[in-house]
Amino acid sequence: MAEEGHVSGKGSFTPVIQRQDAGKASYAQGDVAEEGPLRDVVDTVLGFARTLRHAGVAAGPDRVEAMLAAIGHLDVLDPSAVYWAGRLTLCSGPDDLDRYDAAFVAWFSGRRARLPRPAGRPEVRLAASAPLDGGAGEGDDDGETPDVAARASADEVLRHRDVAGLTDAERAHLRRLFALLLPATPMRPARRRRPAAHGSVHPGRTVRQALRDGGEVSRLRHRRARPRPRRVVLLVDVSGSMTPYADALLRFAHAAVRARPGSTEVFTIGTRLTRVTRELRLRDPDRALVAGGQAIPDWSGGTRLGEVLKAFLDRWGQRGTARGAVVVVCSDGWERGSTDLLAAQMARLRRLAHAVVWVNPHKGRAGYEPLTGGMQAALPSVDHFVAGHSMAAFEELSGVISHA
């Protein structure tokens, strides 16, 4: 049985969570934590979560809290326990596992340990002690540790690249980033009030409690309105001029549907209106886009925004789909039909919707001005005019929708 701060097996390891005093030599093999104070557990986990986010894993605050709760029941000096606690709480899918392993190696760099892996997966040699600075620790001279910082820097550059100019390899990597995107949901106040610890006094519940207590009012009962998700409607232009951006826009729509399947609707617009919400509810993004592509009859066709928007409002919007919703129109504004019809339908949409957001991929380019007839007709009825040309622009769009 291993001593405290070590792992049984071949050799022994310094504890996972340690800190050295500045300028002092590293721990000798087998030393316990008496030579230096234990590194704060929360700071270590938060730093590891930041490394994971730079590596492309969506380790949000809720997942970090879950890892801290798990570590609270485990031995923090056991590398195996820390590894599996993080893997089971911070990873959201199979695509995160390789990046998690690489980030774990980079953050907890030092002498290496063979940690248990599930059957059928190759073993990964993982470091056991946390780094003292930005460089690699002892045992990293063999060059096997992945350069997570370089990968994070490449991800950051890719986030700001225009999706229309990406190579096939960059597009494949961008798809993995889209799979980790979790668009926020706009909320609205609900009319129905529910029991709560604070808020207005609930007379009925207060009286009933007093009757149970023999007629003595010993405690006031409260109630308050809890916010509910507001409907989000995405109208994605799949005409010929939007072909370079249609795939990325539909992947953003798939992420939105995946986050809130009950309050998100997706339509494609071009020469006709097509509802693709059901197809985009498939869990796998590639399968969802293939199913959506098969359902869209006017892919890479013309653009008749006014006519299609009128069809949407007549069939769906007026009946309640657009009423009180955040409506997101993703188009470059090229209109082959009447711009007067488009202006009238946009004004009609503005009266129904809670907020109208227009996403134009060309807005992200330097010197862009909305001079096309379609954009000139639509902008007076638009609340938010944003770009939609890169991953960073889609993240900004998610924030605009959530605060609309």
Side-chain angles (χ1 to χ4, degrees):
M1 185 172 182
E3 298 179 0
E4 184 178 4
H6 297 75
V7 183
S8 58
K10 296 182 179 180
S12 59
F13 303 91
T14 52
V16 175
I17 303 174
Q18 293 179 346
R19 178 189 294 156
Q20 289 179 321
D21 295 333
K24 288 189 178 181
S26 60
Y27 292 108
Q29 184 174 6
D31 285 348
V32 221
E34 284 83 354
E35 295 189 22
L38 287 177
R39 183 174 181 177
D40 184 71
V41 176
V42 176
D43 288 344
T44 302
V45 173
L46 291 178
F48 181 43
R50 285 193 294 270
T51 302
L52 279 177
R53 286 192 288 270
H54 285 304
V57 178
D62 53 341
R63 294 186 178 275
V64 175
E65 290 179 2
M67 181 179 179
L68 289 172
I71 289 179
H73 299 280
L74 302 172
D75 180 10
V76 296
L77 301 180
D78 183 1
S80 172
V82 174
Y83 171 82
W84 286 109
R87 173 170 162 155
L88 295 176
T89 55
L90 299 178
C91 295
S92 59
D95 293 338
D96 294 344
L97 300 182
D98 292 338
R99 278 173 280 187
Y100 174 82
D101 289 344
F104 193 93
V105 171
W107 181 252
F108 299 102
S109 59
R111 281 179 291 275
R112 300 172 178 273
R114 288 185 176 272
L115 298 179
R117 302 281 292 180
R121 292 184 63 86
E123 276 194 339
V124 178
R125 296 178 60 84
L126 298 174
S129 59
L132 306 176
D133 51 41
E138 290 185 16
D140 290 335
D141 298 333
D142 52 7
E144 295 177 358
T145 303
D147 191 353
V148 178
R151 183 182 300 179
S153 177
D155 286 350
E156 185 65 21
V157 172
L158 185 61
R159 284 180 60 252
H160 295 275
R161 290 277 305 277
D162 193 316
V163 298
L166 298 182
T167 64
D168 292 339
E170 290 171 335
R171 288 179 182 274
H173 187 64
L174 190 67
R175 295 188 188 105
R176 292 192 290 271
L177 296 181
F178 267 113
L180 301 175
L181 182 65
L182 294 176
T185 304
M187 306 299 290
R188 63 178 179 87
R191 294 183 178 180
R192 178 176 298 179
R193 291 180 289 180
R194 301 179 182 275
H198 305 282
S200 61
V201 176
H202 193 309
R205 294 182 64 237
T206 302
V207 171
R208 287 193 294 271
Q209 182 64 43
L211 292 175
R212 286 193 293 268
D213 295 340
E216 186 74 21
V217 179
S218 58
R219 180 182 177 185
L220 295 177
R221 299 290 179 173
H222 301 271
R223 62 183 178 181
R224 66 187 306 177
R226 296 182 180 178
R228 300 181 61 185
R230 186 181 295 277
R231 184 183 293 108
V232 177
V233 181
L234 293 104
L235 305 176
V236 181
D237 190 345
V238 293
S239 62
S241 61
M242 288 289 293
T243 300
Y245 302 97
D247 181 84
L249 289 169
L250 288 175
R251 289 185 182 275
F252 176 83
H254 174 264
V257 172
R258 187 185 66 222
R260 287 285 183 180
S263 59
T264 306
E265 291 284 347
V266 183
F267 298 83
T268 60
I269 56 178
T271 57
R272 59 183 298 177
L273 179 73
T274 307
R275 182 174 181 262
V276 293
T277 307
R278 183 169 57 182
E279 287 76 9
L280 294 185
R281 283 176 181 163
L282 294 175
R283 185 177 182 84
D284 183 78
D286 295 326
R287 290 182 56 197
L289 262 67
V290 169
Q294 294 174 349
I296 300 172
D298 57 338
W299 187 277
S300 296
T303 311
R304 297 186 179 275
L305 296 178
E307 297 176 10
V308 174
L309 193 57
K310 183 178 185 304
F312 165 73
L313 293 174
D314 290 343
R315 184 176 178 182
W316 299 92
Q318 198 72 39
R319 295 183 179 182
T321 301
R323 193 180 300 276
V326 177
V327 181
V328 183
V329 183
C330 307
S331 175
D332 55 3
W334 287 98
E335 173 63 295
R336 297 178 59 183
S338 171
T339 56
D340 293 336
L341 176 61
L342 176 59
Q345 298 308 312
M346 285 297 299
R348 181 183 171 193
L349 174 64
R350 182 65 191 88
R351 291 192 295 268
L352 285 173
H354 174 73
V356 178
V357 181
W358 192 289
V359 181
N360 190 328
H362 302 310
K363 188 179 185 298
R365 299 178 180 176
Y368 169 79
E369 294 183 9
L371 300 179
T372 61
M375 290 308 310
Q376 291 289 327
L379 282 180
S381 303
V382 171
D383 297 298
H384 304 277
F385 184 42
V386 299
H389 67 295
S390 65
M391 188 68 189
F394 288 120
E395 293 171 353
E396 180 182 354
L397 170 61
S398 178
V400 170
I401 294 175
S402 65
H403 294 95

